[in-house]
């Protein structure tokens, strides 16, 4: 199966951008060789030609050459700019997550395994089944340390970072079985933290999907946690009891914070609201929500986020803006120094309202 790569020793080219990465890489190798060989040859040639023949010889006087200097400035400029432009093109191709992926998979790294869940509910460990020719988006995080989800045949990889979501996408171009690796040293069994990506024809994939017990989908799991296990609904559901912000329709919209500052509601924002509620109290609400840090796993958080997105009619197929969107505005971070928000920060953990709110669970 190790065929179809026109660069020797390289793994299969099995994604839409594999050839681009290889082409860029081949170009880098050619440029390196094209510069290294003449330089090494010149060192030896000049070393011999201009070796010392006569003690205390006076060298010939040298004058500059505009021609020579122009040439050796323009050539490296063109070479480095093509590397830059091609690199930027390939990078944007890989990290502009498509707005309309055909399929979404949630990935949680854990020492030392990959836990994956399809938006239709099927779970996999160290294996990922995907259909050929469809855009697949991965939303990834980790329960513990830094990992890195890497599929060499797809020529793509991305870090999986504690405390935030990172994204990856690919479109596989041919059916097969491809290695999946953890590409960031993460402890004793790092080298064993890998598996396989199975790229299947759509028909085979549909069979596989229906042949697997799907259980609850992430949205269903999230609803269950929200309404029952964690009791979020006791404050966030509508009605006279409502003390927390309404969550319907907020996804992708901007929220204002007490003390100034705004943020756009995305995956990262929702996750942070669950774990550090007092860090971003929405205008019009009291900082009474207790933190759920330590009470929910990353897998559960992923499903709660999926559920809250579904309240805005987002079926898990948007927000690839990821990192950039998660950053709150500068005015908000500045506002963290206001007395009010300082009070909030300090009261975290010893919030007098917290026990009352907790008892709702
Ligand atoms: Cu996980 Cu290395």
């Amino acid at each position: 199966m190790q065929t179809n790569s026109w660069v020797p020793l390289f793994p299969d080219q099995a994604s839409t951008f594999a050839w681009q990465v290889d082409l860029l890489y081949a170009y880098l190798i050619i440029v390196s060789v094209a510069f290294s060989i003449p330089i090494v040859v010149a060192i030896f040639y000049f070393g011999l030609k201009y070796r010392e023949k006569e003690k205390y010889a006076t060298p010939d006087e040298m004058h500059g050459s505009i021609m020579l200097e122009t040439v050796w400035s323009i050539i490296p400029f063109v070479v480095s700019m093509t590397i830059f432009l091609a690199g930027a093109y390939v990078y944007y191709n890989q990290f502009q997550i498509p707005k309309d992926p055909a399929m979404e998979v949630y990935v949680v790294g854990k020492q030392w395994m990959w836990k994956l869940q399809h938006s239709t509910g099927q779970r996999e460990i160290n294996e990922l089944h995907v259909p050929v020719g469809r855009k697949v988006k991965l939303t990834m995080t980790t329960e513990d340390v830094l990992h890195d989800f890497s599929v060499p045949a797809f020529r793509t990889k991305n870090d999986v970072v504690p405390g935030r979501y990172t994204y990856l996408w690919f479109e596989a171009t041919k059916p097969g079985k491809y290695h999946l690796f953890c590409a960031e040293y993460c402890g004793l069994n790092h080298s064993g933290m890998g598996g396989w990506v199975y790229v299947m024809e759509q028909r085979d994939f549909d069979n596989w999907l229906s042949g697997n017990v799907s259980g609850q989908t992430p949205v269903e799991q999230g609803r269950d946690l929200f309404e029952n296990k964690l009791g979020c609904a006791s404050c966030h559901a509508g009605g006279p009891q409502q003390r927390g912000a309404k969550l319907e329709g907020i996804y992708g919209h901007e929220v204002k914070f007490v003390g100034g500052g705004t943020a756009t509601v995305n995956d990262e924002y929702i996750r942070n609201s669950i774990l550090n509620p007092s860090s971003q109290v929405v205008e019009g609400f009291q900082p009474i929500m207790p933190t759920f840090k330590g009470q929910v796993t990353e897998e559960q958080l992923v499903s709660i986020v999926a559920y809250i997105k579904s309240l805005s009619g987002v079926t898990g197929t948007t927000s690839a803006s990821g990192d950039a969107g998660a950053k709150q505005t500068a005015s908000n971070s500045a506002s963290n120094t206001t007395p009010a928000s300082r009070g909030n920060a300090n009261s975290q953990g010893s919030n007098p309202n917290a026990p009352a709110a907790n008892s709702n669970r």
Side-chain angles (χ1 to χ4, degrees):
M1 207 168 59
Q2 299 298 313
T3 52
N4 263 28
S5 176
W6 39 262
V7 186
L9 307 178
F10 272 34
D12 259 353
Q13 290 179 340
S15 76
T16 46
F17 36 61
W19 69 271
Q20 300 171 352
V21 175
D22 286 359
L23 190 61
L24 179 59
Y25 204 85
Y27 179 58
L28 289 172
I29 291 172
I30 289 165
V31 167
S32 305
V33 170
F35 274 89
S36 308
I37 290 179
I39 288 171
V40 171
V41 169
I43 288 172
F44 281 96
Y45 174 73
F46 290 133
L48 288 172
K49 181 169 185 202
Y50 297 109
R51 66 186 186 279
E52 191 181 63
K53 290 177 195 146
E54 171 195 349
K55 284 272 174 207
Y56 313 118
T58 356
D60 291 340
E61 215 168 294
M62 294 292 291
H63 298 281
S65 162
I66 295 288
M67 185 61 179
L68 196 60
E69 290 191 29
T70 312
V71 168
W72 76 38
S73 297
I74 286 178
I75 291 176
F77 176 76
V78 170
V79 168
S80 50
M81 284 314 283
T82 48
I83 292 172
F84 165 67
L85 290 173
Y89 177 78
V90 173
Y91 178 84
Y92 277 107
N93 236 343
Q94 291 203 359
F95 287 96
Q96 288 275 61
I97 313 291
K99 289 257 183 282
D100 55 343
M103 217 180 104
E104 271 215 70
V105 178
Y106 299 99
V107 180
V108 177
K110 188 176 194 261
Q111 286 171 319
W112 289 278
M113 61 167 95
W114 293 105
K115 299 199 278 185
L116 302 101
Q117 187 177 21
H118 294 255
S119 52
T120 38
Q122 288 81 357
R123 288 179 178 281
E124 304 192 63
I125 287 180
N126 293 340
E127 285 188 351
L128 173 61
H129 290 75
V130 293
V132 70
R134 308 298 295 277
K135 291 176 183 160
V136 180
K137 173 187 168 189
L138 308 182
T139 300
M140 315 188 292
T141 188
T142 158
E143 294 281 3
D144 38 55
V145 300
L146 195 71
H147 302 280
D148 188 297
F149 193 93
S150 165
V151 186
F154 296 165
R155 303 292 190 279
T156 193
K157 66 200 276 286
N158 199 3
D159 275 2
V160 175
V161 186
R164 60 191 273 191
Y165 294 123
T166 53
Y167 304 88
L168 206 58
W169 84 277
F170 56 81
E171 181 181 331
T173 49
K174 61 184 179 144
K177 182 185 173 190
Y178 307 103
H179 258 302
L180 151 67
F181 293 104
C182 175
E184 188 68 65
Y185 181 69
C186 56
L188 189 66
N189 203 19
H190 156 72
S191 61
M193 187 173 168
W196 298 95
V197 178
Y198 295 88
V199 176
M200 311 164 98
E201 296 289 356
Q202 186 68 46
R203 191 172 0 99
D204 299 337
F205 178 74
D206 292 339
N207 279 340
W208 176 85
L209 212 57
S210 59
N212 270 267
V213 188
S214 60
Q216 287 179 308
T217 66
V219 170
E220 286 162 357
Q221 283 161 23
R223 181 188 294 126
D224 190 30
L225 288 161
F226 189 88
E227 289 174 354
N228 309 314
K229 302 207 175 89
L230 298 174
C232 317
S234 64
C235 290
H236 285 288
Q241 288 270 296
Q242 183 159 357
R243 284 179 293 170
K246 196 161 171 270
L247 303 177
E248 285 81 5
I250 57 165
Y251 198 81
H253 288 87
E254 199 164 80
V255 287
K256 282 202 174 76
F257 296 130
V258 170
T262 57
T264 303
V265 177
N266 58 12
D267 299 0
E268 206 82 43
Y269 170 84
I270 297 171
R271 183 183 178 282
N272 191 44
S273 293
I274 298 165
L275 298 179
N276 306 301
S278 56
S279 71
Q280 39 187 25
V281 177
V282 172
E283 219 165 50
F285 295 93
Q286 297 296 312
I288 57 173
M289 176 167 162
T291 172
F292 285 83
K293 208 177 254 171
Q295 301 176 50
V296 279
T297 63
E298 290 295 340
E299 280 181 282
Q300 291 174 320
L301 280 167
V302 162
S303 11
I304 299 172
V305 169
Y307 170 65
I308 292 176
K309 282 164 82 168
S310 76
L311 294 177
S312 303
V314 180
T315 49
T317 55
T318 53
S319 166
S321 61
D323 306 341
K327 275 180 200 122
Q328 294 171 5
T329 56
S331 66
N332 179 52
S333 31
S335 79
N336 281 342
T337 53
T338 63
S341 62
R342 211 183 297 134
N344 288 346
N346 288 342
S347 67
Q348 194 171 4
S350 60
N351 188 334
N353 290 310
N358 269 327
S359 69
N360 286 333
R361 257 177 289 128

